[in-house]
Amino acid sequence: MVPEGMLDFAVNVVDGDPPGWARQALMNGLDRGRRYPDDRPAAEALAELHGRAPDGVLPLGGAVEGFWRLALAVRPKRAAVVVPGFTESEAALRTVGAEIVRVPREAKNDWALDPEAVPEDCDLVVVGRPENPTGVLDSRESILRLRRPGRTVLVDEAFFDFVGDDAADAAGGALADQRPADDGAGDLVVLRSLTKALSVPGIRCGYLLGDPELVASVREAGAPWTCSSPALELLRAYAGRPDACGRIAARTAAHRGDLVARLRQLAGVQVWDGAANFVLVRTPAHVDAVGGLHDHGIAVRPCTTFAGLDDRYVRIAVRTPALHAQLTTALARVISAAEHDG
Protein backbone atom coordinates (compact mmCIF):
# COMPACT_ATOMS: atom_id res chain seq x y z
CA MET A 1 0.00 0.00 0.00
CA VAL A 2 1.19 3.52 -0.82
CA PRO A 3 1.39 5.76 2.28
CA GLU A 4 -1.19 8.52 2.50
CA GLY A 5 -0.09 11.78 0.92
CA MET A 6 2.57 10.34 -1.38
CA LEU A 7 2.50 10.66 -5.16
CA ASP A 8 1.54 7.17 -6.33
CA PHE A 9 3.51 5.82 -9.28
CA ALA A 10 3.50 2.31 -7.79
CA VAL A 11 -0.05 1.02 -8.28
CA ASN A 12 -0.71 0.07 -11.90
CA VAL A 13 -4.35 1.20 -11.93
CA VAL A 14 -5.53 4.23 -13.90
CA ASP A 15 -5.71 7.21 -11.56
CA GLY A 16 -9.12 8.84 -11.29
CA ASP A 17 -12.79 7.88 -11.31
CA PRO A 18 -14.34 5.16 -13.49
CA PRO A 19 -16.26 6.26 -16.60
CA GLY A 20 -19.89 7.27 -16.14
CA TRP A 21 -21.23 4.17 -17.86
CA ALA A 22 -19.20 1.97 -15.51
CA ARG A 23 -20.51 3.77 -12.42
CA GLN A 24 -24.07 3.35 -13.68
CA ALA A 25 -23.50 -0.36 -14.25
CA LEU A 26 -22.24 -0.78 -10.69
CA MET A 27 -25.31 1.04 -9.36
CA ASN A 28 -27.54 -1.23 -11.43
CA GLY A 29 -25.80 -4.19 -9.84
CA LEU A 30 -26.55 -2.87 -6.37
CA ASP A 31 -30.24 -2.87 -7.26
CA ARG A 32 -29.91 -6.62 -7.84
CA GLY A 33 -28.17 -7.19 -4.53
CA ARG A 34 -31.17 -8.85 -2.88
CA ARG A 35 -30.75 -11.92 -5.08
CA TYR A 36 -27.82 -14.27 -5.50
CA PRO A 37 -25.68 -13.35 -8.51
CA ASP A 38 -26.56 -14.88 -11.88
CA ASP A 39 -23.50 -14.79 -14.15
CA ARG A 40 -25.26 -16.09 -17.29
CA PRO A 41 -26.20 -12.68 -18.81
CA ALA A 42 -22.62 -11.42 -18.36
CA ALA A 43 -21.17 -14.64 -19.81
CA GLU A 44 -23.48 -14.41 -22.82
CA ALA A 45 -22.53 -10.77 -23.46
CA LEU A 46 -18.80 -11.52 -23.16
CA ALA A 47 -19.18 -14.54 -25.42
CA GLU A 48 -20.72 -12.34 -28.11
CA LEU A 49 -17.92 -9.78 -27.67
CA HIS A 50 -15.21 -12.39 -28.18
CA GLY A 51 -16.99 -14.58 -30.71
CA ARG A 52 -17.26 -17.77 -28.70
CA ALA A 53 -19.82 -19.94 -26.91
CA PRO A 54 -21.24 -18.70 -23.57
CA ASP A 55 -20.14 -21.90 -21.83
CA GLY A 56 -16.57 -20.97 -22.73
CA VAL A 57 -16.74 -17.87 -20.50
CA LEU A 58 -16.45 -17.74 -16.70
CA PRO A 59 -16.91 -14.41 -14.85
CA LEU A 60 -14.56 -14.13 -11.89
CA GLY A 61 -14.13 -12.12 -8.72
CA GLY A 62 -11.00 -10.57 -10.22
CA ALA A 63 -8.72 -12.15 -12.82
CA VAL A 64 -6.39 -13.34 -10.05
CA GLU A 65 -9.05 -15.86 -9.06
CA GLY A 66 -8.48 -17.54 -12.41
CA PHE A 67 -4.91 -18.51 -11.53
CA TRP A 68 -6.09 -20.37 -8.45
CA ARG A 69 -9.14 -22.01 -10.03
CA LEU A 70 -7.16 -23.19 -13.05
CA ALA A 71 -4.40 -24.62 -10.88
CA LEU A 72 -6.99 -26.57 -8.89
CA ALA A 73 -8.79 -27.74 -12.04
CA VAL A 74 -5.72 -28.80 -14.05
CA ARG A 75 -3.32 -29.76 -11.23
CA PRO A 76 -0.24 -29.71 -13.47
CA LYS A 77 2.77 -31.81 -12.63
CA ARG A 78 5.36 -29.46 -14.15
CA ALA A 79 4.48 -25.85 -14.92
CA ALA A 80 6.52 -23.28 -16.82
CA VAL A 81 6.13 -19.66 -15.71
CA VAL A 82 7.58 -16.99 -17.99
CA VAL A 83 9.44 -14.45 -15.84
CA PRO A 84 9.62 -11.72 -14.83
CA GLY A 85 5.86 -11.83 -14.49
CA PHE A 86 2.90 -11.57 -12.14
CA THR A 87 3.80 -13.64 -9.08
CA GLU A 88 0.34 -14.91 -8.15
CA SER A 89 0.51 -17.76 -10.64
CA GLU A 90 3.43 -19.33 -8.81
CA ALA A 91 1.64 -19.03 -5.47
CA ALA A 92 -1.36 -20.89 -6.88
CA LEU A 93 0.78 -23.58 -8.52
CA ARG A 94 2.75 -24.23 -5.33
CA THR A 95 -0.54 -24.85 -3.52
CA VAL A 96 -1.32 -27.83 -5.78
CA GLY A 97 2.21 -29.22 -5.55
CA ALA A 98 3.31 -28.45 -9.09
CA GLU A 99 7.00 -28.34 -9.96
CA ILE A 100 7.66 -24.81 -11.23
CA VAL A 101 10.16 -24.05 -14.00
CA ARG A 102 10.96 -20.38 -14.52
CA VAL A 103 11.53 -19.44 -18.15
CA PRO A 104 13.40 -16.12 -18.20
CA ARG A 105 12.96 -13.23 -20.58
CA GLU A 106 16.18 -11.36 -21.32
CA ALA A 107 16.71 -7.60 -21.19
CA LYS A 108 19.18 -7.87 -24.09
CA ASN A 109 16.31 -9.21 -26.22
CA ASP A 110 13.90 -6.49 -25.05
CA TRP A 111 12.16 -9.12 -22.91
CA ALA A 112 10.72 -10.97 -25.93
CA LEU A 113 9.30 -14.44 -25.35
CA ASP A 114 11.34 -17.39 -26.63
CA PRO A 115 8.82 -20.23 -27.07
CA GLU A 116 11.63 -22.75 -27.61
CA ALA A 117 12.94 -22.06 -24.09
CA VAL A 118 9.90 -23.74 -22.52
CA PRO A 119 10.69 -27.38 -21.63
CA GLU A 120 8.69 -29.85 -23.70
CA ASP A 121 7.49 -31.80 -20.66
CA CYS A 122 5.70 -28.85 -19.03
CA ASP A 123 1.95 -29.49 -18.99
CA LEU A 124 1.07 -25.89 -18.11
CA VAL A 125 2.62 -22.62 -19.32
CA VAL A 126 1.81 -19.21 -17.84
CA VAL A 127 2.61 -16.01 -19.73
CA GLY A 128 1.44 -12.39 -19.55
CA ARG A 129 0.41 -10.34 -22.59
CA PRO A 130 1.29 -7.49 -22.09
CA GLU A 131 3.62 -8.80 -19.45
CA ASN A 132 3.88 -7.25 -15.99
CA PRO A 133 6.32 -5.59 -15.25
CA THR A 134 8.11 -5.43 -18.63
CA GLY A 135 5.10 -4.27 -20.63
CA VAL A 136 6.20 -6.41 -23.58
CA LEU A 137 3.44 -7.49 -25.98
CA ASP A 138 4.30 -10.86 -27.49
CA SER A 139 2.88 -11.69 -30.89
CA ARG A 140 -0.06 -14.04 -31.24
CA GLU A 141 2.16 -16.35 -33.29
CA SER A 142 4.79 -16.70 -30.55
CA ILE A 143 2.13 -17.49 -27.93
CA LEU A 144 0.42 -20.08 -30.12
CA ARG A 145 3.78 -21.78 -30.65
CA LEU A 146 3.60 -22.76 -26.97
CA ARG A 147 0.69 -25.11 -27.57
CA ARG A 148 1.31 -28.85 -27.35
CA PRO A 149 -0.93 -31.92 -26.98
CA GLY A 150 -1.68 -32.39 -23.29
CA ARG A 151 -0.52 -28.87 -22.37
CA THR A 152 -2.60 -25.93 -21.13
CA VAL A 153 -1.35 -22.44 -22.00
CA LEU A 154 -2.62 -19.69 -19.69
CA VAL A 155 -2.33 -16.18 -21.11
CA ASP A 156 -2.86 -13.29 -18.71
CA GLU A 157 -4.31 -10.40 -20.75
CA ALA A 158 -5.23 -8.31 -17.70
CA PHE A 159 -3.62 -5.23 -19.29
CA PHE A 160 -4.77 -5.74 -22.87
CA ASP A 161 -7.35 -2.95 -22.68
CA PHE A 162 -4.41 -0.53 -22.68
CA VAL A 163 -3.12 -1.82 -26.01
CA GLY A 164 -3.98 0.54 -28.85
CA ASP A 165 -5.48 -0.70 -32.11
CA ASP A 166 -2.25 -0.33 -34.10
CA ALA A 167 -0.17 -2.21 -31.55
CA ALA A 168 -2.82 -4.89 -31.20
CA ASP A 169 -3.02 -5.38 -34.97
CA ALA A 170 0.77 -5.57 -35.25
CA ALA A 171 0.84 -8.26 -32.55
CA GLY A 172 -1.94 -10.28 -34.18
CA GLY A 173 -4.82 -9.12 -32.00
CA ALA A 174 -6.13 -10.21 -28.63
CA LEU A 175 -5.90 -13.89 -27.76
CA ALA A 176 -9.23 -13.42 -25.98
CA ASP A 177 -10.66 -13.42 -29.51
CA GLN A 178 -8.90 -16.68 -30.42
CA ARG A 179 -11.60 -19.31 -30.74
CA PRO A 180 -10.91 -22.69 -29.14
CA ALA A 181 -9.40 -25.03 -31.72
CA ASP A 182 -10.37 -28.70 -31.68
CA ASP A 183 -7.03 -29.74 -33.14
CA GLY A 184 -5.56 -31.71 -30.25
CA ALA A 185 -2.79 -29.14 -29.73
CA GLY A 186 -3.74 -28.36 -26.14
CA ASP A 187 -5.96 -25.86 -24.34
CA LEU A 188 -5.54 -22.10 -24.57
CA VAL A 189 -6.97 -20.20 -21.59
CA VAL A 190 -7.12 -16.40 -21.41
CA LEU A 191 -7.67 -14.20 -18.35
CA ARG A 192 -9.00 -10.65 -18.59
CA SER A 193 -9.48 -7.93 -15.96
CA LEU A 194 -11.55 -4.74 -15.86
CA THR A 195 -10.13 -3.28 -12.68
CA LYS A 196 -6.96 -1.73 -14.12
CA ALA A 197 -8.37 0.36 -16.95
CA LEU A 198 -11.68 1.25 -15.30
CA SER A 199 -10.11 2.30 -11.96
CA VAL A 200 -12.14 -0.14 -9.84
CA PRO A 201 -9.62 -2.45 -8.10
CA GLY A 202 -11.96 -2.74 -5.12
CA ILE A 203 -14.63 -4.24 -7.39
CA ARG A 204 -13.05 -7.59 -8.05
CA CYS A 205 -14.00 -8.09 -11.67
CA GLY A 206 -12.50 -10.31 -14.38
CA TYR A 207 -13.23 -13.33 -16.51
CA LEU A 208 -11.73 -16.48 -18.00
CA LEU A 209 -12.05 -17.73 -21.57
CA GLY A 210 -11.35 -21.23 -22.82
CA ASP A 211 -12.65 -24.53 -24.13
CA PRO A 212 -16.13 -25.13 -22.63
CA GLU A 213 -15.17 -28.48 -21.13
CA LEU A 214 -12.17 -26.98 -19.37
CA VAL A 215 -14.15 -23.92 -18.29
CA ALA A 216 -16.70 -26.24 -16.67
CA SER A 217 -13.88 -27.86 -14.68
CA VAL A 218 -12.56 -24.45 -13.65
CA ARG A 219 -16.03 -23.42 -12.50
CA GLU A 220 -16.32 -26.54 -10.35
CA ALA A 221 -12.87 -25.94 -8.82
CA GLY A 222 -13.97 -22.95 -6.76
CA ALA A 223 -16.74 -21.60 -4.62
CA PRO A 224 -20.00 -20.36 -6.21
CA TRP A 225 -21.03 -16.71 -6.48
CA THR A 226 -17.54 -15.24 -6.29
CA CYS A 227 -18.44 -12.56 -8.86
CA SER A 228 -20.84 -10.08 -7.26
CA SER A 229 -23.91 -8.60 -8.93
CA PRO A 230 -22.26 -5.15 -9.36
CA ALA A 231 -19.22 -6.80 -10.97
CA LEU A 232 -21.45 -8.85 -13.27
CA GLU A 233 -23.35 -5.74 -14.37
CA LEU A 234 -20.03 -4.05 -15.06
CA LEU A 235 -18.91 -7.01 -17.18
CA ARG A 236 -22.16 -6.96 -19.14
CA ALA A 237 -21.96 -3.20 -19.74
CA TYR A 238 -18.31 -3.51 -20.81
CA ALA A 239 -19.16 -6.29 -23.26
CA GLY A 240 -21.82 -4.11 -24.83
CA ARG A 241 -19.29 -1.38 -25.57
CA PRO A 242 -16.64 -2.88 -27.93
CA ASP A 243 -14.52 0.26 -27.55
CA ALA A 244 -15.21 0.64 -23.83
CA CYS A 245 -11.59 1.50 -23.02
CA GLY A 246 -10.59 3.11 -26.32
CA ARG A 247 -10.24 6.63 -24.95
CA ILE A 248 -8.47 5.36 -21.86
CA ALA A 249 -6.00 3.40 -24.01
CA ALA A 250 -5.31 6.37 -26.28
CA ARG A 251 -4.75 8.73 -23.37
CA THR A 252 -2.54 6.20 -21.59
CA ALA A 253 -0.42 5.66 -24.70
CA ALA A 254 0.11 9.41 -25.13
CA HIS A 255 1.00 9.86 -21.47
CA ARG A 256 3.27 6.82 -21.56
CA GLY A 257 5.16 8.41 -24.44
CA ASP A 258 5.63 11.53 -22.35
CA LEU A 259 6.90 9.53 -19.37
CA VAL A 260 9.32 7.49 -21.48
CA ALA A 261 10.72 10.61 -23.18
CA ARG A 262 11.35 12.31 -19.83
CA LEU A 263 12.97 9.24 -18.29
CA ARG A 264 15.28 8.78 -21.27
CA GLN A 265 16.75 12.21 -20.63
CA LEU A 266 18.16 11.03 -17.29
CA ALA A 267 21.78 9.90 -17.25
CA GLY A 268 22.30 6.19 -16.78
CA VAL A 269 18.60 5.33 -16.85
CA GLN A 270 17.27 2.65 -19.20
CA VAL A 271 13.55 2.46 -19.85
CA TRP A 272 11.46 -0.01 -21.82
CA ASP A 273 8.42 1.41 -23.61
CA GLY A 274 5.84 -1.34 -23.30
CA ALA A 275 2.17 -1.63 -24.23
CA ALA A 276 0.54 -1.21 -20.81
CA ASN A 277 -0.03 1.58 -18.28
CA PHE A 278 3.44 1.32 -16.73
CA VAL A 279 7.07 1.21 -17.80
CA LEU A 280 10.02 -0.79 -16.55
CA VAL A 281 13.07 1.25 -15.59
CA ARG A 282 16.63 0.28 -14.71
CA THR A 283 18.65 2.84 -12.77
CA PRO A 284 22.43 2.96 -12.23
CA ALA A 285 23.70 0.33 -9.81
CA HIS A 286 24.61 2.81 -7.09
CA VAL A 287 21.22 4.55 -7.03
CA ASP A 288 18.51 3.69 -4.49
CA ALA A 289 15.60 4.90 -6.60
CA VAL A 290 12.89 3.53 -4.33
CA GLY A 291 14.29 5.00 -1.12
CA GLY A 292 15.44 8.24 -2.73
CA LEU A 293 12.09 8.93 -4.35
CA HIS A 294 10.34 8.02 -1.11
CA ASP A 295 12.26 10.85 0.55
CA HIS A 296 10.77 13.15 -2.09
CA GLY A 297 7.24 11.93 -1.32
CA ILE A 298 6.99 9.67 -4.38
CA ALA A 299 6.24 5.94 -4.44
CA VAL A 300 7.36 3.61 -7.25
CA ARG A 301 7.14 -0.17 -7.41
CA PRO A 302 10.37 -1.98 -6.51
CA CYS A 303 10.91 -5.03 -8.71
CA THR A 304 12.89 -7.25 -6.36
CA THR A 305 9.84 -9.53 -5.96
CA PHE A 306 9.84 -10.28 -9.70
CA ALA A 307 12.02 -13.26 -10.62
CA GLY A 308 15.10 -12.19 -12.58
CA LEU A 309 15.06 -8.53 -11.54
CA ASP A 310 17.18 -6.87 -8.87
CA ASP A 311 17.11 -3.61 -6.92
CA ARG A 312 18.18 -1.58 -9.98
CA TYR A 313 14.73 -2.11 -11.50
CA VAL A 314 11.56 -0.20 -10.70
CA ARG A 315 8.13 -0.17 -12.31
CA ILE A 316 6.60 3.26 -12.82
CA ALA A 317 2.89 3.73 -13.50
CA VAL A 318 1.77 6.13 -16.20
CA ARG A 319 0.15 9.27 -14.83
CA THR A 320 -0.02 12.79 -16.34
CA PRO A 321 2.72 14.96 -17.89
CA ALA A 322 2.60 17.32 -14.90
CA LEU A 323 3.15 14.45 -12.46
CA HIS A 324 5.79 12.93 -14.73
CA ALA A 325 7.71 16.20 -14.51
CA GLN A 326 7.69 15.97 -10.70
CA LEU A 327 8.82 12.37 -10.80
CA THR A 328 11.70 12.85 -13.23
CA THR A 329 12.90 16.02 -11.49
CA ALA A 330 13.03 14.11 -8.20
CA LEU A 331 14.73 11.09 -9.79
CA ALA A 332 17.36 13.34 -11.40
CA ARG A 333 18.14 14.72 -7.95
CA VAL A 334 18.36 11.24 -6.47
CA ILE A 335 20.80 10.16 -9.18
CA SER A 336 22.87 13.34 -8.81
CA ALA A 337 23.06 12.90 -5.02
CA ALA A 338 24.15 9.28 -5.39
CA GLU A 339 26.91 10.27 -7.84
CA HIS A 340 28.09 12.99 -5.46
CA ASP A 341 28.16 10.62 -2.49
CA GLY A 342 29.88 7.94 -4.56
Side-chain angles (χ1 to χ4, degrees), residues 86-110:
F86 185 47
T87 57
E88 198 68 22
S89 61
E90 290 195 24
L93 291 166
R94 282 194 294 270
T95 299
V96 299
E99 177 189 354
I100 298 172
V101 179
R102 289 175 171 172
V103 179
R105 298 177 182 269
E106 301 289 346
K108 63 183 180 182
N109 297 326
D110 287 330

Side-chain angles (χ1 to χ4, degrees), residues 1-11 259 263 266 288-302 314-334:
M1 299 293 290
V2 175
E4 189 72 27
M6 296 192 72
L7 287 180
D8 178 12
F9 286 89
V11 178
L259 175 60
L263 288 167
L266 303 181
D288 177 11
V290 174
L293 287 171
H294 187 278
D295 293 341
H296 285 270
I298 297 174
V300 295
R301 171 67 156 85
V314 294
R315 191 191 68 199
I316 301 177
V318 174
R319 298 296 185 234
T320 65
L323 292 177
H324 299 162
Q326 294 185 53
L327 167 80
T328 50
T329 297
L331 184 54
R333 290 173 179 169
V334 171

Side-chain angles (χ1 to χ4, degrees), residues 91-181:
L93 291 166
R94 282 194 294 270
T95 299
V96 299
E99 177 189 354
I100 298 172
V101 179
R102 289 175 171 172
V103 179
R105 298 177 182 269
E106 301 289 346
K108 63 183 180 182
N109 297 326
D110 287 330
W111 310 107
L113 171 68
D114 178 8
E116 305 307 318
V118 176
E120 285 290 331
D121 62 347
C122 288
D123 52 351
L124 176 72
V125 181
V126 182
V127 61
R129 184 177 186 258
E131 186 67 273
N132 175 20
T134 65
V136 67
L137 180 67
D138 296 306
S139 69
R140 175 192 292 256
E141 178 186 4
S142 64
I143 298 292
L144 294 180
R145 284 171 58 194
L146 295 171
R147 298 178 68 220
R148 300 284 190 280
R151 172 188 287 178
T152 299
V153 177
L154 173 59
V155 185
D156 178 9
E157 287 193 338
F159 293 94
F160 205 90
D161 277 323
F162 294 108
V163 179
D165 291 341
D166 291 344
D169 290 344
L175 281 163
D177 299 329
Q178 176 82 18
R179 295 188 181 186

Side-chain angles (χ1 to χ4, degrees), residues 34 36 56 70 74 77 87 122 182 189 259 265 295 320 335:
R34 293 187 178 183
Y36 282 102
L70 187 70
V74 175
K77 294 181 178 179
T87 57
C122 288
D182 187 17
V189 178
L259 175 60
Q265 293 177 11
D295 293 341
T320 65
I335 293 172

Side-chain angles (χ1 to χ4, degrees), residues 28-286:
N28 293 343
L30 287 177
D31 293 339
R32 293 169 171 77
R34 293 187 178 183
R35 299 187 297 272
Y36 282 102
D38 179 0
D39 66 9
R40 289 173 296 181
E44 290 169 359
L46 291 165
E48 184 174 351
L49 174 68
H50 294 296
R52 56 177 69 215
D55 55 359
V57 183
L58 178 63
L60 300 168
V64 70
E65 181 186 359
F67 290 108
W68 292 84
R69 280 184 179 261
L70 187 70
L72 289 166
V74 175
R75 294 189 176 273
K77 294 181 178 179
R78 195 166 193 243
V81 178
V82 180
V83 297
F86 185 47
T87 57
E88 198 68 22
S89 61
E90 290 195 24
L93 291 166
R94 282 194 294 270
T95 299
V96 299
E99 177 189 354
I100 298 172
V101 179
R102 289 175 171 172
V103 179
R105 298 177 182 269
E106 301 289 346
K108 63 183 180 182
N109 297 326
D110 287 330
W111 310 107
L113 171 68
D114 178 8
E116 305 307 318
V118 176
E120 285 290 331
D121 62 347
C122 288
D123 52 351
L124 176 72
V125 181
V126 182
V127 61
R129 184 177 186 258
E131 186 67 273
N132 175 20
T134 65
V136 67
L137 180 67
D138 296 306
S139 69
R140 175 192 292 256
E141 178 186 4
S142 64
I143 298 292
L144 294 180
R145 284 171 58 194
L146 295 171
R147 298 178 68 220
R148 300 284 190 280
R151 172 188 287 178
T152 299
V153 177
L154 173 59
V155 185
D156 178 9
E157 287 193 338
F159 293 94
F160 205 90
D161 277 323
F162 294 108
V163 179
D165 291 341
D166 291 344
D169 290 344
L175 281 163
D177 299 329
Q178 176 82 18
R179 295 188 181 186
D182 187 17
D183 57 4
D187 289 309
L188 179 71
V189 178
V190 180
L191 285 175
R192 299 297 289 266
S193 171
L194 270 61
T195 60
K196 310 295 187 181
L198 298 182
S199 308
V200 287
I203 307 296
R204 307 305 303 143
C205 188
Y207 57 100
L208 179 147
L209 303 162
D211 174 78
E213 184 175 347
L214 178 58
V215 170
S217 298
V218 174
R219 179 185 287 275
E220 294 170 1
W225 305 310
T226 59
C227 195
S228 68
S229 292
L232 289 170
E233 284 301 308
L234 182 58
L235 285 169
R236 186 163 68 161
Y238 166 86
R241 307 172 68 95
D243 196 33
C245 298
R247 291 184 180 180
I248 296 170
R251 183 176 67 245
T252 299
H255 288 177
R256 187 178 64 242
D258 173 82
L259 175 60
V260 169
R262 292 176 187 272
L263 288 167
R264 284 179 173 164
Q265 293 177 11
L266 303 181
V269 169
Q270 185 170 5
V271 56
W272 287 270
D273 184 5
N277 63 327
F278 51 81
V279 297
L280 181 66
V281 174
R282 184 170 61 197
T283 60
H286 60 283

